[in-house]
Amino acid sequence: MNQTSKLLVYVGSYSGADANGIHVFQFEPERGGALTLLGGVKGIANPTFINVDAQGHRLYSIGDKTNAEGVKEGEVVAYSIEPEAGTLTEISRTDTMPAEGATAMSTCHITRDSDSRFVVVSSYHGGKIGLVSLDSEGKTVRLTDSAAHKGQGAHPERQDRPHPHSASFSPDERFLFVCDLGIDVIRSYRINGEKETLELHGDTPLHPGAGPRHFTFHPDGRSAYVINEVDSTITSFTYEADAGVLETVVTVPTLPEDYAGENTCAEIAVSPDGRYLYGSNRGHDSIVIYAVDPATAELTFVEHVSTRGGHPRHFALTPGGDYLIVANRDSNNLVVFARDSASGQLTFTGNEAQVAKPVCVKPVFL
């Protein structure tokens, strides 16, 4: 990081194409994490999840489009980033997966390999993941392959069919782990770079009715953690990197024992130092914090912290882990917390920002 680097925060949201859907803020640690709006971009509907290539000065966003029959389909839009102001300029736009009859193929998540050869999108409603190639300039090229999931889970409404909700690369990027909320499975793939295809590797089953949503590895690469949306739990695993195999260790609740209201979980993250894990509750509207034992993947409860808003759809730790920024979708606000590295606990900084229906927040140094 050089002296001119800025910590910018990109935010994806639910929005129409005629409104600013992706927003950019400057984050100011010297002011306790104050957020200053720098601008935004229109022209994309529902850019609800984004991926930022800070080194290549590129941003990738999923979006919705409608076909001639009125059925939603997915697209991915690539932007160049002007690093001084954080301004976004569209450089490419590519269809991801076409609708199948009346079945929508809109997408809910996007990830990218570190070499920027591919992005991977997940279609919750369509039951598929898609592999999209990138060229040497970071532009999206085409959908090169897709993989359809089959089956159903224990919950009669939430798990009536497959619902892939996210894809995450292993630390060495030899494997891609896909959380399927609908069939209680974390499915792993290899990417064949030469053929530009997805190759099935294996499945890690979750307990019935779990609903795995988002997944993260420990910084040391020897354990991993998934937040289960449907039954409000977190499951930890040890990870055998050579074989690409997860072994279940423990499942813990994200809610207090005395909470009786409705709740679904959303995001999960491990602090950069690997000592603490964070997960979001929508309904209880809180961040749950667990201490992590890296050697065993055991989890010890620390605290619940109110997100000071409704429906925390996403959150992110700033680089270095000094702050945590929550995107509360239903209260239309970003909320900044300071993180104590020794205890893992969060304290509200007094800093917030208004954003209409924020869904994804990505802080990066540029």
Side-chain angles (χ1 to χ4, degrees):
M1 181 180 64
N2 59 50
Q3 291 183 344
T4 61
S5 295
K6 290 182 178 180
L7 182 50
L8 300 181
V9 179
Y10 288 93
V11 181
S13 65
Y14 280 113
S15 70
D18 58 347
N20 281 345
I22 303 174
H23 312 263
V24 57
F25 291 83
Q26 182 166 348
F27 187 91
E28 301 178 72
E30 64 276 8
R31 295 176 56 203
L35 291 164
T36 302
L37 181 65
L38 300 180
V41 291
K42 301 178 181 179
I44 179 172
N46 294 331
T48 54
F49 216 87
I50 56 179
N51 177 275
V52 182
D53 176 4
Q55 183 175 359
H57 295 165
R58 297 286 185 264
L59 182 145
Y60 300 91
S61 177
I62 59 171
D64 286 346
K65 59 190 292 289
T66 304
N67 67 15
E69 288 71 41
V71 183
K72 283 187 178 181
E73 299 180 329
E75 63 179 359
V76 59
V77 183
Y79 300 88
S80 64
I81 301 174
E82 195 289 305
E84 182 62 27
T87 307
L88 299 174
T89 302
E90 183 176 332
I91 58 173
S92 68
R93 184 177 296 239
T94 301
D95 294 346
T96 50
M97 290 175 282
E100 297 179 352
T103 301
M105 286 290 173
S106 55
T107 50
C108 62
H109 186 271
I110 184 170
T111 193
R112 174 185 51 84
D113 70 311
S114 61
D115 291 332
S116 293
R117 291 192 61 196
F118 301 100
V119 295
V120 180
V121 295
S122 302
S123 177
Y124 176 92
H125 294 291
K128 285 186 174 184
I129 62 168
L131 185 68
V132 178
S133 60
L134 304 176
D135 67 15
S136 61
E137 296 180 345
K139 297 178 181 178
T140 53
V141 179
R142 64 184 182 92
L143 178 73
T144 65
D145 196 18
S146 62
H149 293 186
K150 296 181 180 180
Q152 59 186 37
H155 194 288
E157 296 175 359
R158 298 298 314 281
Q159 298 181 308
D160 59 328
R161 63 187 190 275
H163 291 304
H165 215 307
S166 65
S168 304
F169 284 99
S170 61
D172 60 10
E173 298 192 344
R174 293 173 57 230
F175 303 100
L176 180 74
F177 290 88
V178 177
C179 292
D180 195 313
L181 180 151
I183 58 176
D184 288 327
V185 160
I186 300 174
R187 179 158 293 169
S188 58
Y189 293 87
R190 290 179 182 265
I191 294 178
N192 186 318
E194 183 177 340
K195 296 181 179 179
E196 299 186 328
T197 56
L198 295 160
E199 299 177 349
L200 180 63
H201 176 64
D203 282 351
T204 302
L206 275 294
H207 56 277
R213 176 186 171 103
H214 282 190
F215 176 83
T216 189
F217 279 92
H218 191 276
D220 69 11
R222 293 183 291 182
S223 60
Y225 308 84
V226 68
I227 194 159
N228 300 308
E229 175 177 334
V230 176
D231 74 350
S232 299
T233 60
I234 292 170
T235 301
S236 68
F237 310 88
T238 55
Y239 181 60
E240 174 51 54
D242 289 342
V245 173
L246 298 166
E247 293 290 341
T248 303
V249 174
V250 67
T251 297
V252 295
T254 66
L255 294 169
E257 288 185 6
D258 60 356
Y259 181 75
E262 293 185 5
N263 189 77
T264 57
C265 291
E267 179 62 336
I268 187 169
V270 177
S271 59
D273 59 17
R275 298 179 61 192
Y276 295 98
L277 179 147
Y278 301 83
S280 66
N281 286 304
R282 301 174 296 176
H284 188 247
D285 293 338
S286 66
I287 301 294
V288 63
I289 306 169
Y290 277 91
V292 175
D293 183 336
T296 64
E298 293 284 349
L299 299 171
T300 302
F301 175 74
V302 175
E303 68 172 349
H304 291 97
V305 177
S306 168
T307 61
R308 306 179 69 88
H311 199 96
R313 177 71 178 260
H314 194 255
F315 66 85
L317 292 159
T318 57
D322 292 333
Y323 295 91
L324 185 146
I325 308 168
V326 179
N328 290 307
R329 189 197 68 184
D330 290 355
S331 54
N332 304 310
N333 65 332
L334 306 177
V335 181
V336 181
F337 295 88
R339 191 183 78 90
D340 185 290
S341 60
S343 68
Q345 294 178 313
L346 301 175
T347 302
F348 176 50
T349 64
N351 288 307
E352 299 186 37
Q354 297 301 303
V355 178
K357 298 188 181 302
V359 179
C360 179
V361 54
K362 297 286 184 177
V364 293
F365 274 112
L366 290 176

